[in-house]
Amino acid sequence: YRGITVNFNKRLANRWSMRGHVNWADWDWKLGPEFLRHDDPTDTIGDPLGFSDGEGPYSEASGGIKADVLVGGRWSFNLNGLYQVAPDQPWGFNFGASVDGREGYINPSFVRAGGPIGRRNIQLSSDIEDFRHDDVIVVNAHLDKEIQLGPTSLTLSLDGFNLADEDVILQRQRN
């Protein structure tokens, strides 16, 4: 595993704040003979990842309702900030925005082969990273105005999500 994460944080001062991170990682998980002696994913009837020889790279799959999503993007980032527009004025308001991004997850196709005993999934590409979903970039924004009502205050807000209208595929049937 080789990786680096850079975080930054600018606290609220002079009407603005910002924070974020950039992450890059490069890793390979090879299934060598020591691992295969105790847990060989290729000797099971329902091999979910479809490796025929146990020597290729391996990727973790998510579970639950998002099962069969192979996670493992190499990079991700987040940048979010707040700017206070005329906070000393009665009409002043706050504006915030965020941008999130990550590399698309791998999506290797497979076919089911074999008979009733020993059926297995066989990956159709030689490299697990031959097929990868598009990168995901999401832009969100927020406006709010606080109104003082005596000892109480009321906050009106407007939020916008996925403002770049990206419609990236996050999961697809691999079989």
Side-chain angles (χ1 to χ4, degrees):
Y1 173 84
R2 292 177 305 270
I4 185 169
T5 300
V6 177
N7 296 298
F8 52 93
N9 188 11
K10 196 273 186 202
R11 298 176 101 181
L12 182 60
N14 298 321
R15 297 191 222 176
W16 72 282
S17 67
M18 185 174 289
R19 66 179 176 187
H21 79 272
V22 176
N23 181 56
W24 174 83
D26 183 23
W27 61 276
D28 287 318
W29 187 3
K30 303 281 186 183
L31 301 179
E34 288 299 313
F35 180 83
L36 295 175
R37 186 175 347 181
H38 302 288
D39 185 13
D40 183 354
T42 66
D43 67 0
T44 60
I45 291 174
D47 176 15
L49 293 176
F51 297 106
S52 58
D53 61 7
E55 293 300 318
Y58 177 82
S59 179
E60 285 290 333
S62 63
I65 62 171
K66 295 290 184 184
D68 200 37
V69 174
L70 302 179
V71 297
R74 292 173 287 210
W75 57 266
S76 66
F77 70 89
N78 170 267
L79 177 65
N80 61 71
L82 169 76
Y83 184 72
Q84 296 176 318
V85 178
D88 302 330
Q89 300 297 321
W91 53 269
F93 61 95
N94 296 322
F95 172 74
S98 70
V99 180
D100 290 286
R102 69 163 170 80
E103 182 178 39
Y105 292 153
I106 56 178
N107 192 49
S109 297
F110 67 87
V111 294
R112 190 159 289 211
I117 297 178
R119 256 170 71 153
R120 65 184 313 112
N121 299 331
I122 305 297
Q123 184 176 311
L124 295 177
S125 61
S126 61
D127 186 350
I128 195 169
E129 295 201 39
D130 281 348
F131 297 97
R132 190 175 274 280
H133 290 298
D134 291 338
D135 299 338
V136 178
I137 310 282
V138 178
V139 178
N140 301 320
H142 172 87
L143 288 171
D144 73 55
K145 168 67 179 152
E146 185 175 357
I147 301 169
Q148 283 298 129
L149 302 169
T152 316
S153 65
L154 172 70
T155 302
L156 303 175
S157 64
L158 176 66
D159 290 291
F161 301 98
N162 193 18
L163 296 176
D165 197 24
E166 293 291 323
D167 56 355
V168 177
I169 294 170
L170 300 176
Q171 182 179 7
R172 187 172 266 158
Q173 173 62 268
R174 298 186 309 118
N175 185 0

